[in-house]
Amino acid sequence: MPASPATPTLAPAHITAVLRILVLSTFVVLLNETIMVNAIPRLMREFEVTAAAAGWLSTSFMLTMAVVIPVTGWFLQRVTTRTAFSLAMALFLAGTALAAAAPAFPVLLAARVIQAGGTAVMMPLLMTTLMTLVPPHDRGRVMGNITLVISVAPALGPAVSGVLLQLGSWRLLFLAVLPIAGAMAVFGRSRLVNIGEPQAVPIDWVSVPLAAAGFGSLVYGLSGLGAGDAAHAVLSPPAMTLAGAVLVGLFVWRQLALQRSSTPLLDLRALTSRHFSVALALMCLSFMALMGAFVLLPIYLQEVLGLTSLQTGLLLIPGGLTMGLLGPQVGKLYDRFGAPRLVVPGAVLTALCLALFALTGEQTSPWLVLALHVVLSAGMAFVFTPVFTSGLSVLPPHLYPHGSAILGSLQQVAAAAGTALVISVMTGHAATAAADGAGATGALATGVRWGFGIGAVLGTAAVLIALLVRTPPAPQQPAEPEAQDEDGTTTNKTAPTPG
C-alpha cells in the first residue's frame, strides 16, 4: 500500500471493489500456506525424499514469509497499490505454475519460495489498505470480513488438499489454484485504484540483510526444534534460534538508531503505543496456541483415532468455517461494544477448549473432537478480529504499513515457536510413555495430550493479556485527502462507508 499519510476518500462502490479484490486474492494465496500438509506422504514416495525434507515444503513457505514481510513496510510506501498487487500476484502465479510442472523436488521447493514471496506482500497490502480507506467507526465490521481470509484460508488448506488428492495427482493442488489466481490477477489489475501517493522513502541496506538473516534464522531454528532429527540437522536448530535472536536484536537496535536520524526500514515507533503492543502480545500468544492445535489435531486424528487424511480434512472444515463466518458478526459487535467485552470471553473459551483437548485419548469420539474444534474456532474469532482492529486503529496513518509488517513478521515467528513447542513436548512425552511400556498409539496419545496441555498454558497466558486490552481512541484523520483512479487522475469525494 502506498504511503501517503492522508486518508483517501473514495466513493463507497470504489472502496467495496478495492477491498473485495484484495480479500479474494489474499484468500487464494493464503490457502497455499497449508495446502501441502496432506500431500507430504505422496511426495516422499514420488521424489524419494525423507519426511524432514518434504516438510520443508511448508517450512520454506513460512520461512520466506518471515524474511520478506519486514521489508514490506518500506516497500508499500514506495509503490502504488496496483504495482504492489501486480508484483505479489505475478510472483504467486509464477511460483504456482512452476510447482505444477516441477520435475524434481528442488524445483518444487524453489516454487514454494516464489509463491511465499507473493503471499508475503498481499497480507500487509490488504491490512494497510483497509486501515487507510475505512473510517474508524466502521473498521470492526470490515475487519470481521477480513477474518475470513486470515482464519479460513489456512484452515481449509488441509481439507482442500485432501479432496484434490482423492481426485488425482498432487499437481492438482497447483493446477486447480492457477486459473483462479490468474483470473483474480487480471480482474484486480483492471479494477484496482491507487490509494494515496508513493513516497521516495530511502532504504537502509544494512537493515535488509539483518532482517532477512535474523527473522529467517529465528523461524528456521524454531521450526527445527521440535523435529525428531533435530540433533542430526546440518544447521543446529538451537544454534540457529540463538543466532536469529541475536540478529533480530541487532536489527531492532539498528531501527532505533535510524529513527533518530533518518527513516528506518521498519518503524518501531508503532510499539510505543500501549494499545498496539498489548494487541501484538495477545496475537502472538493466541497464534502460538492456535498453530500448536493445528499441528496436533491431524496427528491425533490420523495416528491415534485412525482417520484418513480426507476424513481429517473434512472434520476440520466446520471449525474453519465457524471462525470465518463469525468474523463479520464479531466485527459488528466490536463497532458497538469495543474490544474488551469480546476479547476476554473469547480468550477464556479458547483456553478452556485447549484444556479439554488435553483430556482426550484413544477412545475419544471424533464427533467430540469436531465439537471442541468448532468451539475453539469460535473463541479465536472473538479474539482475532478485535485484536487486529484495535491494535492497528490506534496508529497514525503513516505507520499503518509498518504496523502491518510488524504484525505479520511476529505472526510467522509465533507460528514457528508454537509449532516447535508443542511438537517438542509431544515427542518427549511420547518417548517417555513408550519407555514405560505403552504401545505406539498409546504413547503418541500421551504425547498429544501433553502438547494440548502446553496450548492450554499459552491460552491461559493469553487470558491474562486479554484483561489489558482496551478500545483505543481513533487518531484524527486529515481532511479532504486524495486518491488516484486507474488513469492516474485525482478525485475528491465525500467520506464513504464501505458496503
Side-chain angles (χ1 to χ4, degrees):
M1 224 324 285
S4 172
T7 303
T9 33
L10 297 173
H14 259 153
I15 289 183
T16 300
V18 169
L19 293 178
R20 187 171 294 161
I21 290 166
L22 293 178
V23 166
L24 292 175
S25 300
T26 306
F27 181 90
V28 172
V29 299
L30 278 180
L31 182 70
N32 279 263
E33 187 169 6
T34 55
I35 204 170
M36 299 301 296
V37 172
N38 285 329
I40 286 178
R42 190 174 298 187
L43 291 167
M44 289 169 59
R45 292 191 298 270
E46 180 160 337
F47 290 117
E48 297 181 350
V49 296
T50 64
W56 267 96
L57 293 171
S58 295
T59 303
S60 64
F61 199 100
M62 185 166 56
L63 188 63
T64 304
M65 295 269 285
V67 169
V68 175
I69 286 177
V71 186
T72 60
W74 167 83
F75 174 72
L76 294 178
Q77 290 181 296
R78 295 274 304 189
V79 302
T80 65
T81 311
R82 297 175 75 204
T83 299
F85 174 83
S86 299
L87 176 63
M89 293 305 293
L91 283 172
F92 182 78
L93 284 168
T96 303
L98 182 62
F105 183 77
V107 177
L108 180 58
L109 190 60
R112 290 288 287 170
V113 170
I114 297 171
Q115 271 191 321
T119 306
V121 176
M122 281 302 302
M123 194 64 205
L125 175 63
L126 171 61
M127 298 293 285
T128 306
T129 303
L130 179 150
M131 297 305 299
T132 306
L133 283 181
V134 180
H137 69 272
D138 211 24
R139 285 176 184 160
R141 179 179 66 83
V142 180
M143 185 68 80
N145 290 319
I146 288 179
T147 302
L148 285 164
V149 169
I150 298 171
S151 58
V152 175
L156 287 182
V160 170
S161 66
V163 172
L164 290 175
L165 289 171
Q166 288 289 115
L167 298 176
S169 167
W170 60 267
R171 297 182 191 274
L172 282 177
L173 299 179
F174 304 103
L175 291 173
V177 169
L178 196 58
I180 300 172
M184 290 306 307
V186 173
F187 179 73
R189 177 66 183 168
S190 64
R191 294 294 303 275
L192 273 180
V193 296
N194 291 326
I195 310 303
E197 293 282 354
Q199 295 179 337
V201 181
I203 186 170
D204 176 54
W205 292 106
V206 175
S207 297
V208 173
L210 275 178
F215 285 102
S217 299
L218 192 57
V219 170
Y220 171 86
L222 289 171
S223 300
L225 285 177
D229 58 349
H232 307 289
V234 176
L235 297 174
S236 167
M240 291 296 290
T241 302
L242 179 60
V246 171
L247 289 171
V248 169
L250 290 173
F251 173 77
V252 170
W253 172 81
R254 178 74 177 175
Q255 304 318 295
L256 294 175
L258 289 173
Q259 285 172 186
R260 295 192 292 268
S261 58
S262 59
T263 304
L265 179 67
L266 195 60
D267 199 326
L268 301 181
R269 278 170 286 204
L271 296 173
T272 61
S273 165
R274 176 187 176 277
H275 297 289
F276 180 75
S277 296
V278 169
L280 192 64
L282 179 56
M283 184 278 297
C284 287
L285 281 172
S286 299
F287 212 71
M288 285 178 69
L290 180 63
M291 288 306 296
F294 275 178
V295 170
L296 290 174
L297 277 171
I299 295 173
Y300 173 67
L301 291 171
Q302 294 181 47
E303 303 300 328
V304 178
L305 298 188
L307 274 61
T308 66
S309 60
L310 177 60
Q311 290 172 327
T312 298
L314 294 175
L315 187 143
L316 296 177
I317 284 179
L321 292 178
T322 297
M323 191 184 297
L325 294 175
L326 274 178
Q329 306 309 316
V330 174
K332 293 176 183 178
L333 292 174
Y334 171 84
D335 289 332
R336 183 176 178 183
F337 298 112
R341 295 183 185 180
L342 305 176
V343 171
V344 175
V348 170
L349 194 61
T350 298
L352 179 61
C353 286
L354 290 170
L356 291 175
F357 267 124
L359 301 178
T360 56
E362 296 175 72
Q363 306 304 318
T364 301
S365 167
W367 295 107
L368 177 59
V369 176
L370 171 63
L372 283 176
H373 184 239
V374 168
V375 177
L376 172 67
S377 300
M380 285 294 185
F382 276 86
V383 172
F384 283 138
T385 297
V387 165
F388 281 123
T389 309
S390 64
L392 289 174
S393 290
V394 74
L395 300 178
H398 72 278
L399 288 180
Y400 289 159
H402 296 279
S404 298
I406 293 170
L407 198 67
S409 299
L410 292 186
Q411 195 174 41
Q412 298 305 311
V413 173
T419 301
L421 185 59
V422 298
I423 292 296
S424 296
V425 170
M426 180 197 75
T427 304
H429 282 276
T432 301
D436 291 340
T441 302
L444 184 58
T446 299
V448 168
R449 282 196 296 272
W450 275 95
F452 279 122
I454 290 297
V457 172
L458 293 172
T460 302
V463 172
L464 298 178
I465 300 295
L467 296 173
L468 303 176
V469 170
R470 298 291 183 269
T471 303
Q476 294 296 318
Q477 306 290 348
E480 297 187 0
E482 298 179 341
Q484 293 181 351
D485 290 317
E486 292 91 333
D487 58 2
T489 58
T490 299
T491 57
N492 282 315
K493 296 183 176 71
T494 56
T497 300

